[in-house]
């Protein structure tokens, strides 16, 4: 999807949903993809965090075979609904190593509020960490995996969460040793409206 079209349509959708307040349409504003493009250059590490009280709702990336089979990345964030409250704690998860397939969700029932990555020339791949935030003692439920992003190795990636009562909790990735690229499936969950006693669901 063209970034210009996205920047026009997403605010309109957000305003329309914002009229409903906290009744099933929690997002009233969002932190858009930055105007200057990407959070990193090819072969460059980066650290991205949503503003306090916001979570990642969109991931965009382009692949460049000539630049170390690397990707440039960009993210969009939106505030969580008032019913979820403020984050009670935030942290960086364990590192997911370069050149390997992996599956990870935020521990302690956290939601993804950022990404950190470092590029390794020796494997033409990146290691990854999630920045996670916990909201009181809320627990995830009704979790599911998105389709693969990108659809094929080497393609542009543009994942936007259109299910506004679902939150990103992590991802699973596959790595192609031939293409030197990853495909992602994001783990999306609803969160309880009440505190629960389970420390890690």
């Amino acid at each position: 999807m063209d970034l210009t079209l996205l920047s026009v349509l997403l605010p309109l959708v957000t305003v329309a949903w914002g009229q409903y307040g906290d009744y099933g349409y929690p997002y009233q504003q969002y932190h858009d993809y930055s105007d200057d493009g990407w959070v990193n250059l090819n072969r460059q590490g980066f650290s991205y965090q949503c503003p306090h009280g916001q979570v990642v709702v969109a991931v965009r990336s382009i692949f460049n075979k000539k630049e170390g089979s690397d990707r440039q990345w960009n993210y969009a964030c939106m505030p969580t609904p008032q019913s979820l409250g403020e984050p009670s704690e935030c942290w960086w998860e364990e590192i997911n190593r370069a050149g390997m397939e992996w599956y990870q969700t935020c521990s302690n029932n956290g939601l993804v509020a950022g990404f950190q990555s470092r590029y390794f020339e020796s494997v033409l791949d990146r290691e990854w960490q999630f920045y996670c935030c916990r909201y009181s003692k809320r627990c995830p439920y009704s979790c599911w995996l998105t389709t693969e992003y990108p659809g094929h190795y080497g393609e542009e990636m543009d994942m936007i969460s259109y299910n506004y009562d679902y939150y990103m909790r992590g991802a699973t990735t596959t790595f192609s040793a031939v293409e030197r690229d990853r495909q992602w499936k994001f783990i999306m969950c609803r969160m309880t409206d009440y505190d629960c006693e389970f420390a890690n669901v």
Side-chain angles (χ1 to χ4, degrees):
M1 178 183 281
D2 183 25
L3 186 59
T4 306
L5 181 61
L6 175 67
S7 65
V8 171
L9 291 179
L10 200 51
L12 295 175
V13 170
T14 303
V15 169
W17 271 310
Q19 295 174 9
Y20 294 95
D22 248 4
Y23 302 103
Y25 302 100
Y27 296 126
Q28 298 176 10
Q29 59 182 341
Y30 72 102
H31 181 73
D32 196 2
Y33 291 121
S34 61
D35 292 334
D36 58 353
W38 309 103
V39 298
N40 69 300
L41 299 173
N42 286 306
R43 304 180 190 194
Q44 180 188 67
F46 68 88
S47 181
Y48 177 87
Q49 289 177 242
C50 293
H52 181 76
Q54 297 190 23
V55 293
V56 174
V57 294
V59 181
R60 183 165 189 245
S61 178
I62 56 171
F63 182 76
N64 190 327
K65 187 85 168 170
K66 294 179 182 177
E67 287 291 333
S69 294
D70 195 20
R71 287 183 169 272
Q72 289 179 278
W73 295 88
N74 205 348
Y75 304 94
C77 303
M78 291 183 87
T80 56
Q82 291 179 354
S83 61
L84 205 55
E86 290 289 313
S88 52
E89 61 178 316
C90 297
W91 64 93
W92 286 103
E93 278 293 344
E94 293 182 10
I95 294 173
N96 294 288
R97 299 289 175 207
M100 300 176 68
E101 296 182 359
W102 49 265
Y103 175 99
Q104 185 179 53
T105 57
C106 286
S107 60
N108 210 15
N109 298 328
L111 303 176
V112 176
F115 290 82
Q116 186 165 272
S117 181
R118 191 167 59 146
Y119 179 79
F120 287 88
E121 193 80 40
S122 59
V123 289
L124 301 179
D125 191 29
R126 293 179 163 274
E127 68 179 18
W128 289 92
Q129 280 181 286
F130 293 127
Y131 182 69
C132 300
C133 292
R134 181 179 185 190
Y135 286 79
S136 188
K137 293 183 177 180
R138 303 301 169 87
C139 291
Y141 69 100
S142 296
C143 299
W144 57 279
L145 287 172
T146 65
T147 57
E148 291 178 330
Y149 290 94
H152 301 282
Y153 293 112
E155 292 181 348
E156 184 174 322
M157 173 175 163
D158 204 356
M159 191 288 291
I160 301 172
S161 175
Y162 291 106
N163 296 308
Y164 292 104
D165 53 349
Y166 281 82
Y167 306 94
M168 186 185 299
R169 289 218 52 239
T172 181
T173 70
T174 56
F175 179 70
S176 169
V178 175
E179 299 295 331
R180 311 312 282 182
D181 194 19
R182 289 188 176 277
Q183 286 182 303
W184 297 66
K185 288 184 179 180
F186 296 95
I187 301 161
M188 310 297 290
C189 299
R190 298 186 78 175
M191 298 297 282
T192 58
D193 290 331
Y194 53 87
D195 289 351
C196 68
E197 298 306 315
F198 299 101
N200 200 16
V201 178

